[in-house]
């Protein structure tokens, strides 16, 4: 997806871990799963969700988030896992949703859309 510099179209969600918010990580994980499930059922969705650091584990085949992520993907939401993180966490070839993305691909989205850091 190419976007002209200076234009902003849609939102990009940025996930850096397997939970949302500060405090209890188990509760944050449940909040995240609930958000993804709810988001998958809405008509208004982000352009993309970027997963980096340990958040890339959410894209792996054994993640309970995969059904919600596949629904989002089928509705046109780009799901991008940071390539460095995917490789470092030994998840190459194990993603059940989304795809591994280079830093250039990620920066194209971050620099040309409104970013919501979760």
């Amino acid at each position: 997806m190419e976007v002209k510099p200076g234009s902003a179209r849609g939102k990009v969600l940025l996930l850096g871990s397997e939970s949302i918010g500060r405090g209890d990580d188990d509760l944050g994980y449940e909040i995240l799963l609930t958000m993804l499930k709810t988001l998958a059922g809405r008509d208004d969705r982000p352009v993309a969700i970027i997963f980096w650091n340990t958040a890339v584990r959410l894209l792996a085949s054994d993640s309970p988030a995969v059904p919600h992520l596949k629904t989002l993907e089928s509705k046109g939401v780009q799901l991008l896992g940071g390539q460095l993180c995917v490789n470092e966490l030994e998840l190459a070839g194990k993603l059940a949703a989304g795809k591994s993305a280079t830093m250039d691909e990620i920066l194209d989205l971050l620099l040309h859309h409104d970013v919501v850091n979760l």
Side-chain angles (χ1 to χ4, degrees):
M1 167 186 283
E2 186 171 326
V3 179
K4 294 179 182 176
S7 68
R9 283 192 300 154
K11 303 270 189 233
V12 171
L13 303 183
L14 182 60
L15 296 174
S17 72
E18 297 169 83
S19 68
I20 291 180
R22 299 195 193 290
D24 186 281
D25 286 340
D26 292 333
L27 178 58
Y29 182 75
E30 292 302 320
I31 294 168
L32 177 57
L33 288 180
T34 301
M35 184 201 72
L36 292 172
K37 179 181 178 183
T38 304
L39 188 59
R42 293 180 58 103
D43 291 331
D44 52 344
R45 289 176 291 279
V47 171
I49 304 174
I50 297 170
F51 302 78
W52 56 15
N53 207 323
T54 60
V56 297
R57 291 181 181 142
L58 296 166
L59 300 169
S61 57
D62 60 350
S63 169
V66 166
H68 311 308
L69 294 173
K70 283 187 173 186
T71 299
L72 286 165
E73 198 170 31
S74 75
K75 293 180 177 184
V77 177
Q78 292 182 72
L79 305 176
L80 303 174
Q83 189 175 59
L84 174 65
C85 307
V86 168
N87 291 337
E88 284 295 315
L89 295 173
E90 299 178 356
L91 295 173
K94 299 176 184 174
L95 301 184
K99 70 173 192 124
S100 181
T102 66
M103 189 56 74
D104 267 338
E105 292 172 296
I106 290 170
L107 285 172
D108 283 344
L109 288 164
L110 294 178
L111 295 173
H112 300 287
H113 291 82
D114 294 327
V115 178
V116 179
N117 188 9
L118 300 170

XYZ file of all heavy atoms in Angstrom, residues 33-69:
285
model
N -7.292 -9.877 23.912
C -8.112 -10.852 23.174
C -9.534 -10.336 22.979
O -10.122 -10.489 21.904
C -8.128 -12.195 23.891
C -6.835 -13.011 23.837
C -7.011 -14.327 24.599
C -6.410 -13.283 22.410
N -10.093 -9.720 24.012
C -11.448 -9.162 23.918
C -11.489 -8.042 22.892
O -12.433 -7.942 22.095
C -11.918 -8.659 25.296
O -11.906 -9.754 26.209
C -13.314 -8.067 25.220
N -10.465 -7.190 22.884
C -10.415 -6.103 21.911
C -10.359 -6.645 20.482
O -11.078 -6.179 19.595
C -9.207 -5.204 22.168
C -9.175 -4.006 21.222
S -7.564 -3.249 21.038
C -6.699 -4.455 20.062
N -9.509 -7.646 20.244
C -9.393 -8.207 18.900
C -10.692 -8.853 18.452
O -11.111 -8.691 17.302
C -8.243 -9.217 18.847
C -6.834 -8.630 19.007
C -5.805 -9.741 19.134
C -6.497 -7.697 17.846
N -11.348 -9.577 19.347
C -12.632 -10.215 19.022
C -13.683 -9.158 18.689
O -14.399 -9.275 17.695
C -13.100 -11.069 20.199
C -14.434 -11.743 19.962
C -14.860 -12.556 21.164
C -16.225 -13.196 20.923
N -16.684 -13.939 22.093
N -13.751 -8.117 19.499
C -14.722 -7.047 19.274
C -14.408 -6.293 17.991
O -15.307 -5.996 17.199
C -14.741 -6.084 20.481
O -15.012 -6.832 21.663
C -15.793 -5.007 20.312
N -13.146 -5.998 17.776
C -12.714 -5.290 16.573
C -13.071 -6.077 15.318
O -13.507 -5.502 14.314
C -11.209 -5.047 16.644
C -10.570 -4.160 15.595
C -11.183 -2.763 15.624
C -9.069 -4.086 15.834
N -12.932 -7.389 15.360
C -13.241 -8.232 14.201
C -14.711 -8.147 13.813
O -15.067 -8.345 12.652
C -12.853 -9.685 14.488
N -15.584 -7.828 14.767
C -17.013 -7.735 14.490
C -17.493 -6.351 14.092
O -18.661 -6.165 13.771
N -16.609 -5.386 14.111
C -16.996 -4.006 13.792
C -16.829 -3.703 12.309
O -16.049 -4.342 11.612
C -16.151 -3.031 14.604
C -16.421 -3.102 16.097
C -15.558 -2.127 16.850
N -15.759 -0.762 16.408
C -16.481 0.147 17.087
N -17.048 -0.174 18.223
N -16.600 1.382 16.616
N -17.562 -2.683 11.862
C -17.419 -2.224 10.486
C -16.267 -1.244 10.338
O -15.711 -1.088 9.260
C -18.710 -1.563 10.005
C -19.829 -2.576 9.832
O -19.545 -3.750 9.543
O -20.998 -2.182 10.006
N -15.930 -0.541 11.408
C -14.787 0.379 11.362
C -13.574 -0.328 11.944
O -13.588 -0.780 13.067
C -15.093 1.673 12.119
C -15.598 1.441 13.531
O -16.009 0.312 13.857
O -15.595 2.400 14.326
N -12.563 -0.462 11.119
C -11.367 -1.215 11.498
C -10.131 -0.416 11.120
O -10.180 0.440 10.255
C -11.350 -2.557 10.773
C -12.403 -3.534 11.273
C -12.391 -4.803 10.453
N -12.865 -4.605 9.092
C -14.161 -4.555 8.755
N -15.082 -4.680 9.667
N -14.511 -4.386 7.505
N -9.006 -0.734 11.729
C -7.766 -0.059 11.330
C -7.293 -0.550 9.966
O -7.716 -1.611 9.493
C -6.776 -0.481 12.422
C -7.296 -1.795 12.902
C -8.786 -1.714 12.795
N -6.424 0.216 9.363
C -5.797 -0.171 8.102
C -4.869 -1.354 8.344
O -4.789 -2.275 7.532
C -4.992 1.024 7.525
C -4.155 0.606 6.334
C -5.922 2.164 7.173
N -4.181 -1.303 9.492
C -3.188 -2.343 9.788
C -2.987 -2.463 11.291
O -3.279 -1.531 12.049
C -1.855 -2.018 9.119
N -2.485 -3.616 11.688
C -2.008 -3.829 13.047
C -0.572 -4.310 12.912
O -0.291 -5.277 12.198
C -2.849 -4.865 13.820
C -4.323 -4.464 13.843
C -2.313 -5.007 15.254
C -5.244 -5.513 14.472
N 0.324 -3.603 13.587
C 1.735 -3.963 13.576
C 2.067 -4.639 14.892
O 1.725 -4.137 15.966
C 2.614 -2.716 13.375
C 2.320 -2.098 12.008
C 4.097 -3.069 13.516
C 2.941 -0.734 11.798
N 2.715 -5.772 14.799
C 3.119 -6.562 15.961
C 4.632 -6.572 16.004
O 5.272 -6.977 15.035
C 2.626 -8.012 15.826
C 1.140 -8.146 15.659
C 0.542 -7.898 14.428
C 0.344 -8.530 16.720
C -0.826 -8.032 14.271
C -1.033 -8.673 16.573
C -1.620 -8.422 15.349
N 5.196 -6.103 17.112
C 6.627 -6.255 17.257
C 6.958 -6.615 18.678
O 6.064 -6.711 19.518
C 7.424 -5.089 16.724
C 7.160 -3.705 17.239
C 6.463 -3.341 18.354
C 7.594 -2.502 16.642
N 6.450 -1.993 18.490
C 7.140 -1.432 17.448
C 8.331 -2.188 15.520
C 7.402 -0.103 17.155
C 8.582 -0.858 15.240
C 8.121 0.155 16.040
N 8.231 -6.875 18.917
C 8.674 -7.440 20.176
C 7.864 -8.719 20.420
O 7.588 -9.450 19.485
C 8.576 -6.424 21.317
C 9.569 -6.689 22.431
O 9.845 -7.839 22.767
N 10.116 -5.634 23.003
N 7.473 -9.004 21.655
C 6.801 -10.283 21.927
C 5.378 -10.353 21.378
O 4.787 -11.427 21.342
C 6.782 -10.594 23.432
O 6.080 -9.557 24.117
C 8.193 -10.746 23.971
N 4.831 -9.238 20.907
C 3.489 -9.256 20.318
C 3.414 -10.156 19.091
O 2.329 -10.639 18.753
C 3.038 -7.842 19.968
N 4.550 -10.413 18.429
C 4.523 -11.281 17.253
C 4.037 -12.684 17.608
O 3.529 -13.398 16.740
C 5.880 -11.345 16.510
C 6.266 -9.986 15.957
C 6.967 -11.913 17.375
N 4.147 -13.065 18.873
C 3.644 -14.386 19.292
C 2.138 -14.516 19.079
O 1.621 -15.627 18.951
C 3.983 -14.634 20.758
C 5.457 -14.816 21.020
C 5.719 -15.076 22.489
N 7.135 -15.234 22.753
C 7.750 -14.779 23.828
N 7.068 -14.150 24.775
N 9.034 -14.965 23.980
N 1.433 -13.407 19.040
C -0.017 -13.431 18.812
C -0.359 -13.947 17.417
O -1.469 -14.433 17.191
C -0.614 -12.040 19.016
C -0.509 -11.486 20.434
C -0.808 -9.993 20.447
C -1.441 -12.233 21.374
N 0.571 -13.851 16.483
C 0.363 -14.302 15.103
C 0.667 -15.786 14.908
O 0.342 -16.352 13.867
C 1.250 -13.488 14.150
C 1.029 -11.980 14.129
C 2.152 -11.302 13.352
C -0.327 -11.638 13.557
N 1.291 -16.407 15.898
C 1.733 -17.800 15.778
C 0.560 -18.770 15.831
O -0.492 -18.486 16.407
C 2.733 -18.127 16.879
N 0.754 -19.932 15.241
C -0.322 -20.920 15.093
C -0.927 -21.378 16.409
O -2.092 -21.760 16.452
C 0.172 -22.123 14.293
O 1.299 -22.695 14.928
N -0.180 -21.307 17.503
C -0.723 -21.765 18.786
C -1.375 -20.644 19.604
O -1.768 -20.854 20.746
C 0.366 -22.447 19.614
C 1.541 -21.527 19.934
O 1.609 -20.413 19.353
O 2.386 -21.920 20.757
N -1.540 -19.466 19.024
C -2.109 -18.329 19.740
C -3.641 -18.348 19.707
O -4.242 -18.505 18.639
C -1.624 -17.023 19.124
O -2.365 -15.930 19.633
N -4.286 -18.136 20.854
C -5.750 -18.031 20.887
C -6.279 -16.813 20.123
O -7.465 -16.739 19.832
C -6.072 -17.902 22.378
C -4.879 -18.406 23.097
C -3.705 -18.126 22.205
N -5.403 -15.880 19.772
C -5.823 -14.689 19.034
C -6.016 -14.957 17.545
O -6.665 -14.167 16.852
C -4.791 -13.575 19.222
N -5.484 -16.051 17.045
C -5.477 -16.320 15.602
C -6.865 -16.270 14.956
O -7.016 -15.650 13.901
C -4.738 -17.641 15.280
C -5.004 -18.102 13.857
C -3.240 -17.461 15.497
N -7.910 -16.878 15.518
C -9.214 -16.793 14.848
C -9.684 -15.341 14.642
O -10.207 -15.000 13.572
C -10.164 -17.551 15.783
C -9.272 -18.468 16.553
C -7.974 -17.729 16.702
N -9.480 -14.495 15.641
C -9.879 -13.092 15.531
C -9.013 -12.369 14.504
O -9.511 -11.564 13.708
C -9.775 -12.394 16.883
C -10.423 -13.144 17.998
N -11.726 -13.602 17.954
C -9.937 -13.545 19.192
C -12.013 -14.236 19.067
N -10.939 -14.228 19.839
N -7.728 -12.679 14.513
C -6.814 -12.051 13.567
C -7.111 -12.476 12.132
O -7.058 -11.659 11.214
C -5.365 -12.370 13.942
C -4.909 -11.769 15.277
C -3.522 -12.289 15.653
C -4.921 -10.255 15.227
